Amino acid sequence: MELSGTDWSSEAAEGVPGVPPQREHLVVIGNGMAGCRAVEELLARDAGRYRVTIFGAEPHVNYNRIMLSPVLAGEKSFEDIILNTHQWYRDNGIELIAGDAVVSVDRAAKRVTAASGRSVAYDRLLIATGSDPFIIPCPGHTLDGVISFRDMHDVDRMLAAADAGGDAVVIGGGLLGLEAAHGLSLRGMKVTVLHLMPTLMERQLDEAAGWLLKTALEARGQTILTGADTAEILGDGKVEGVRLKDGTTIPASIVVMAVGIRPNVKLAREAGLAIGRGIHVDDHMVTSDPAILAVGECVEHDGNVYGLVAPLFDMCRALADGLVEKHSGYRGSVTSTKLKVAGLDVFSAGDFSGGDGAEDIVLRDASRGVYKRVIVKDDRIVGAVLYGDTGDGGWYFDLLKRQEDVSELRDLLIFGQAFASGGGAADPKAAVAALSDDAEICGCNGVTKGQVVACIDKGACSLDAVRAGCKASASCGSCTGLVETLLAVTLGDAVQSGPKTMCKCTGFGHDDVRREIVAQDMRSIPEVMQKLHWSTPDGCSSCRPALNYYLLCALPGDYVDDQQSRFVNERMHANIQKDGTYSVVPRMWGGLTNPRELRAIADVVEKFNAPMVKVTGGQRLDIFGIKKEDLPAVWADLNAAGMVSGHAYGKSLRTVKTCVGSEWCRFGTQDSTGLGVKIEHMTWGSWMPHKFKIAVSGCPRNCAEATIKDFGVVCVDSGYELSVGGNGGIHVRATDFLCKVATEAEAMHYCAAFIQLYREEARYLERTAPWIERVGVDYVKARIADDAEGRDALAGRFLYSQSFSQDDPWAERASAHVQHAHMAEFHPAKALTDGEPA
């Protein structure tokens, strides 16, 4: 099919509005990371130089292929890994032809033809067809359920398999295979990794680091079989298992092949271009046809092919320079590999095989699980392998690339940059400032220090601006600290703080930290601080409570609450007042009480000389003036009467306010008091990002003020109107209507789902009102009202979490042995007198 009425090599004849005439037409085959990055580099140099058409075999816009693993693991969505949206193509006048693979190139006519029959002429052609996954041609390799791991289609197939449950076998213990295994494990599958070689990632890690990696993965539940030679994939039409050559049989419902990739040269070969292992290119990425260029994993340059991102981006820069007649030339790449999977940090660079004249410098720290090995030859670093602590990987790699003489640093080299540069107290800003301009900062997007600084020089004054400008720190976020330091070094006080940074202790935002806690399966505050490179040894009063909450939310029943990371009111289970005494609020379910409870409260007031009892806005009684040392006894007395903590002090469910409803009120339409009691029994004890209040009104007269609560129920004749995000504080905000339901059970189910969504996605100390204003009520409706499956899952996670959290802290702290253990916290220290030892 000829493209309708056009000769794409003669742009002037098209009469396209707004398009300058006489521009050469650059056609790109490949909408992946290399093809699009080449176009980005070209646009940065001369946006009007070429008219650009991009063909993509996949039906998607350009996305970050190396972030497929987080998508598989459930840590990111596809939208999160998009590099260029449809708007980007439109804004730059680029025609994207997605989902239509080019199948032939007519070099004589300078024309390409796609699978659909679409034919387009070119002046310059760029081939960026990447690589194809290698499939072991063993018996059974064509069975349904044998999957590669290369694109979104593969991820979708794996997700569908994971949803069905069962066992998975991953063939290949390299970087890609381990990431696939990690993702499938997180999706609930029992995973076995088969690796032909004796150690995992043998091309990146030495034996010691490979063993550490294998041990750690096994500790996370995966089965790792090394030296495993696949004989056959078993099954009758569909995968049922794998048999090894030693006779071992492993059950499996899917088999993921991740044993390597091969440059995709089919199109170039059929076009008659010079081919070796890849498409032959010169230093300017020009093929054997001067009108055709090639870039990325499909090319062979100087005898080398590359499967990592950084070399591809180096090629793209050289290619773009050539396209604008400012030839710089590509001279090959020295590569490094950084892997972060299942919370494990691994780094390698250069040649770690050792050999004649090479010296190994090794550091092992078994208690920390750290292994470092730097290989030096002729006073230059030639290779490095790091496991467990990869913080200095970039520094070693920079020294390696620059071939710097390290003889004066040798004794301290293995301890890292801080020590080698002048001791443990060395200024980290100075260390980053000392990096060369071509030192890689962001491995995900191949961004160097020089590019980050150039982005800052062009006006980027915040972390978000740098992310938007050059994409550093825009993917996995592990380089965020480096980017923050570069901002500080370059701009000093002119740095604009990003709104998402948790506190001064870290460059990570709340959302980043929550994501990394799940992604890396982190289980303690020290672990989070260690792995996310906290700049302070123990955090601060801002980040510790937030981390404690995020871990509690992520790991119900597993994470042990860190009391020392709570604010004083939560530690004391009471509200401290301005005179230093405390107020105590027992829970009254749905606002109800009885003589026994009232008598117990009266007794406590008299016994401890409480000067005031106040009815709160949440229908409870607040006993003021309790001394700190009397708190355990007060709790014990109230507890003996059957009362539990009202959590009036906590970032938690506070009250469920009700009116008398249909039982007593002439206008009541439903049993609002009974529903409020049920909701409070379901939700009490739940820890939240901030305090959380609920109300149930028995009729539209709304006596319980349900429309200014975090979750409100207004009973009407035909059911229950649910609304969310109200706030009666300083900034009064009426609720947003969520939906209407027919039954009490539905009202409670939606309430549980909404609370869990808020618990999982709001930032610590963010009330529901600002959270909803930030994410939009339509988003909340889509997650709660419109998505039945998602709603059920949220409610299920909330109820599961509640099975671990409804322990009354008063009862626990008032018990004899706990009270004794905490006496020092509640009783003031004895005053020192002259002559007593301090």
Side-chain angles (χ1 to χ4, degrees), residues 20-297:
Q22 304 303 322
R23 291 192 302 171
E24 288 186 284
H25 189 197
L26 173 66
V27 173
V28 182
I29 304 174
N31 189 39
M33 296 185 69
C36 260
R37 184 56 173 260
V39 173
E40 289 178 14
E41 293 285 350
L42 173 61
L43 294 174
R45 286 157 178 77
D46 189 346
R49 181 69 172 255
Y50 292 88
R51 184 163 55 88
V52 179
T53 300
I54 301 178
F55 281 89
E58 292 185 71
H60 304 293
V61 293
N62 174 228
Y63 63 88
N64 191 338
R65 195 179 301 275
I66 64 175
M67 299 303 288
L68 286 175
S69 297
V71 175
L72 174 63
E75 298 154 4
K76 288 181 180 290
S77 66
F78 175 73
E79 287 69 27
D80 295 330
I81 67 171
I82 289 175
L83 293 172
N84 293 301
T85 64
H86 283 290
Q87 188 62 45
W88 176 82
Y89 293 91
R90 288 192 291 270
D91 289 345
N92 291 286
I94 297 169
E95 183 182 17
L96 171 63
I97 303 171
D100 194 8
V102 171
V103 295
S104 68
V105 177
D106 185 340
R107 291 169 53 198
K110 287 191 170 181
R111 183 173 291 276
V112 301
T113 301
S116 65
R118 188 172 193 154
S119 177
V120 174
Y122 64 84
D123 297 302
R124 304 294 297 272
L125 178 66
L126 171 59
I127 299 177
T129 46
S131 296
D132 290 327
F134 177 68
I135 301 294
I136 301 173
C138 61
H141 73 280
T142 59
L143 288 171
D144 182 21
V146 178
I147 305 171
S148 61
F149 187 17
R150 184 61 182 165
D151 54 28
M152 272 304 301
H153 177 63
D154 295 330
V155 172
D156 289 339
R157 293 177 68 195
M158 281 191 269
L159 291 177
D163 287 343
D167 297 345
V169 166
V170 176
I171 300 179
L175 182 115
L176 204 58
L178 296 182
E179 291 189 341
H182 174 57
L184 292 171
S185 291
L186 290 182
R187 292 286 181 177
M189 299 196 83
K190 181 182 178 183
V191 180
T192 300
V193 177
L194 307 179
H195 192 54
L196 180 62
M197 303 305 290
T199 59
L200 297 175
M201 292 183 65
E202 74 284 351
R203 296 178 64 182
Q204 290 85 23
L205 302 180
D206 61 13
E207 184 179 5
W211 178 84
L212 284 168
L213 179 61
K214 177 175 181 288
T215 303
L217 291 173
E218 288 172 335
R220 283 160 173 75
Q222 296 180 29
T223 300
I224 310 290
L225 301 180
T226 54
D229 198 354
T230 302
E232 181 183 8
I233 299 175
L234 307 172
D236 182 11
K238 188 178 185 312
V239 168
E240 296 175 3
V242 174
R243 184 174 62 80
L244 304 180
K245 289 185 177 178
D246 65 4
T248 302
T249 300
I250 304 153
S253 54
I254 62 168
V255 171
V256 178
M257 287 269 197
V259 294
I261 55 176
R262 287 178 173 173
N264 182 354
V265 298
K266 180 175 182 291
L267 193 64
R269 188 190 305 280
E270 291 175 351
L273 297 176
I275 304 294
R277 288 194 294 158
I279 305 169
H280 281 164
V281 293
D282 65 13
D283 289 352
H284 309 290
M285 315 315 296
V286 179
T287 69
S288 54
D289 182 336
I292 301 178
L293 305 101
V295 72
E297 294 176 343

Side-chain angles (χ1 to χ4, degrees), residues 85 108 110 183 295 310 314 390 398 528 616 636 741 763 806:
T85 64
K110 287 191 170 181
V295 72
D314 291 339
T390 59
D398 188 42
V528 175
T616 72
V741 296
R763 296 160 187 163
Q806 290 190 323

Side-chain angles (χ1 to χ4, degrees), residues 300-345:
E300 177 182 334
H301 173 266
D302 197 22
N304 296 309
V305 294
Y306 297 94
L308 298 173
V309 170
L312 312 190
F313 292 170
D314 291 339
M315 296 177 195
C316 289
R317 287 187 280 272
L319 180 144
D321 288 339
L323 283 173
V324 298
E325 307 300 332
K326 295 180 179 178
H327 302 280
S328 57
Y330 173 67
R331 304 287 184 268
S333 299
V334 180
T335 61
S336 63
T337 300
K338 186 175 184 180
L339 170 67
K340 180 172 285 189
V341 58
L344 307 171
D345 290 320

Side-chain angles (χ1 to χ4, degrees), residues 787-806:
D787 180 2
E789 186 177 345
R791 178 175 65 245
D792 292 346
L794 284 165
R797 291 200 292 274
F798 176 71
L799 296 178
Y800 175 74
S801 175
Q802 285 296 87
S803 68
F804 302 102
S805 65
Q806 290 190 323

